[in-house]
């Protein structure tokens, strides 16, 4: 068995690594925002895109983000790697980030909604939203809403939402969105990842039409794979399992490939409302294809955030 594993190891690793983004597209003169870009796949996505154009790291922990930005600047030679404070668990912070960005930057070409929380003990955001739903879905929903016009003005533009295979286990529980009646941290994560898929679907539908076809304005979602990252830090058991089975997990760089692919691949210029994994289209759960649920979630999200997005 040890000999077999020794021989098979490179092949297993290659399989685990999955697809790679092969696009060499440049982003000169273009602006990219990546949320949660100070660690994990967000940081690796930023590292790659920094070799192509200007990247804004939108992060809650600015000290960590500055360290990541310094590392990326030194490695790529690109000085246009900028850190901005963004706490997705606080709508005030989201609005302040958007206000400052819109005042300072005249264009935005790619928005990568990457940040996320997973397996949190029950807690709420500053606005009273259950943490997974608040950060993973509502925070990015509001951020996208606030930046949408700038994206439209800069088209061709792309919105990339990092979801997960976990969306297959999710349900949108409209009767208990904030988990006040019953709460399971694993299912809460699944529900929020399903919300990402439904948001992408409805957003793409609303962007469809003459403008989208002419300008190439797209919104797609993706599963990055099972990645060895800090995302499981709230669970001792998952952290332990992740260490034991790290050989069978993607590295953050491997996990970032589909995000990069959705952001830059030339062949996706007019592809919208889709879900990808390993740099290719992937199966979406029946709940993730339910247009009625997507429309209702959109409406409820607007209501919770106090916005009108028609």
């Amino acid at each position: 068995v040890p000999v077999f594993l020794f021989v098979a190891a490179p092949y297993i690793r290659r399989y685990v690594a999955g697809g790679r983004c092969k696009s060499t597209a440049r982003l000169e003169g273009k602006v990219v925002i990546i949320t949660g870009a100070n660690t994990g796949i967000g940081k690796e996505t930023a590292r790659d895109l920094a070799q192509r154009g200007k990247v804004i790291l939108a992060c809650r922990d600015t000290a960590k983000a500055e360290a990541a930005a310094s590392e990326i600047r030194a490695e790529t030679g690109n000085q246009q790697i900028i850190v901005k404070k963004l706490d997705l668990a606080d709508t005030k912070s989201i609005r302040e980030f958007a206000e400052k960005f819109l005042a300072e930057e005249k264009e935005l070409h790619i928005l990568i909604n990457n940040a996320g929380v997973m397996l949190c003990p029950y807690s709420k955001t500053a606005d009273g939203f259950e943490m997974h739903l608040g950060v993973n879905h509502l925070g990015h929903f509001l951020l996208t809403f606030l930046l949408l016009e700038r994206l439209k003005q800069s088209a061709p533009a792309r919105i990339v939402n990092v979801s997960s295979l976990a969306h297959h286990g999710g349900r949108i529980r409209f009767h208990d969105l904030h988990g006040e009646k019953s709460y399971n941290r694993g299912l809460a994560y699944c529900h929020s990842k399903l919300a990402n898929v439904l948001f992408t679907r409805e957003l793409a539908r609303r962007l469809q039409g003459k403008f989208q076809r002419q300008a190439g304005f797209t919104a797609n979602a993706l599963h990055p794979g099972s990645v060895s990252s800090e995302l499981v830090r709230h669970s001792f058991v998952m952290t332990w399992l992740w260490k034991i089975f790290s050989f069978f997990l993607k590295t953050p760089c491997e996990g970032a490939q589909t995000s990069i692919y959705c952001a830059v691949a030339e062949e996706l210029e007019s592809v919208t409302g889709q879900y990808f994994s390993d740099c290719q289209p992937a199966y979406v759960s029946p709940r993730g294809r339910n247009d009625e649920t997507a429309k209702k979630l959109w409406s409820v999200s607007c209501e919770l955030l106090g916005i009108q997005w028609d």
Side-chain angles (χ1 to χ4, degrees), residues 211-240:
F211 169 79
Q212 188 271 333
R213 284 197 302 272
Q214 287 179 344
F217 190 8
T218 64
N220 290 299
L222 66 102
H223 167 56
S226 297
V227 181
S228 178
S229 73
E230 293 178 16
L231 194 60
V232 296
R233 65 187 178 276
H234 292 292
S235 169
F236 171 78
V237 173
M238 288 294 285
T239 302
W240 183 68

Side-chain angles (χ1 to χ4, degrees), residues 261-277:
Y261 174 74
C262 289
V264 302
E266 296 87 343
E267 63 267 32
L268 299 188
E269 196 174 302
S270 58
V271 174
T272 191
Q274 300 302 304
Y275 172 75
F276 295 86
S277 177

Side-chain angles (χ1 to χ4, degrees), residues 23-222:
S23 171
T24 56
R26 303 294 302 164
L27 298 173
E28 278 97 351
K30 297 199 172 183
V31 181
V32 181
I33 290 176
I34 307 173
T35 66
N38 61 338
T39 187
I41 67 170
K43 181 179 175 184
E44 294 306 320
T45 304
R47 194 192 303 277
D48 180 284
L49 298 185
Q51 298 173 52
R52 307 172 191 250
K54 182 173 183 176
V55 181
I56 293 170
L57 281 57
C59 305
R60 181 176 56 85
D61 188 333
T62 52
K64 255 190 175 182
E66 286 292 358
S70 294
E71 183 187 315
I72 293 168
R73 285 187 209 110
E75 189 180 305
T76 63
N78 182 358
Q79 297 308 303
Q80 289 191 302
I81 310 302
I82 299 162
V83 171
K84 298 285 182 189
K85 170 82 172 176
L86 172 66
D87 184 354
L88 288 160
D90 185 348
T91 58
K92 186 183 174 190
S93 173
I94 298 168
R95 290 182 180 278
E96 284 174 358
F97 169 87
E99 195 177 318
K100 286 177 185 173
F101 173 84
L102 294 172
E104 293 167 8
E105 301 286 345
K106 299 306 168 201
E107 292 188 304
L108 174 60
H109 303 89
I110 301 169
L111 171 61
I112 303 180
N113 291 320
N114 163 83
V117 294
M118 180 181 182
L119 303 173
C120 301
Y122 188 76
S123 55
K124 289 188 174 181
T125 68
D127 302 272
F129 309 139
E130 186 277 315
M131 191 61 70
H132 292 90
L133 184 80
V135 171
N136 298 354
H137 168 60
L138 291 170
H140 283 127
F141 187 95
L142 178 60
L143 180 65
T144 306
F145 166 74
L146 295 171
L147 299 177
L148 193 73
E149 286 308 310
R150 189 54 45 91
L151 282 157
K152 279 186 178 178
Q153 292 161 12
S154 309
R158 300 187 188 191
I159 297 167
V160 179
N161 294 324
V162 179
S163 179
S164 169
L165 182 70
H167 85 270
H168 285 270
R171 289 176 61 204
I172 305 302
R173 303 167 69 247
F174 290 109
H175 66 286
D176 189 24
L177 270 181
H178 303 295
E180 291 165 330
K181 294 175 184 173
S182 67
Y183 180 75
N184 176 290
R185 62 173 80 181
L187 288 176
Y189 176 72
C190 295
H191 302 333
S192 71
K193 293 290 104 179
L194 174 59
N196 293 154
V197 171
L198 291 167
F199 168 45
T200 305
R201 187 177 182 87
E202 181 62 9
L203 177 59
R205 188 188 70 79
R206 287 167 177 260
L207 293 176
Q208 290 277 7
K210 189 177 178 184
F211 169 79
Q212 188 271 333
R213 284 197 302 272
Q214 287 179 344
F217 190 8
T218 64
N220 290 299
L222 66 102

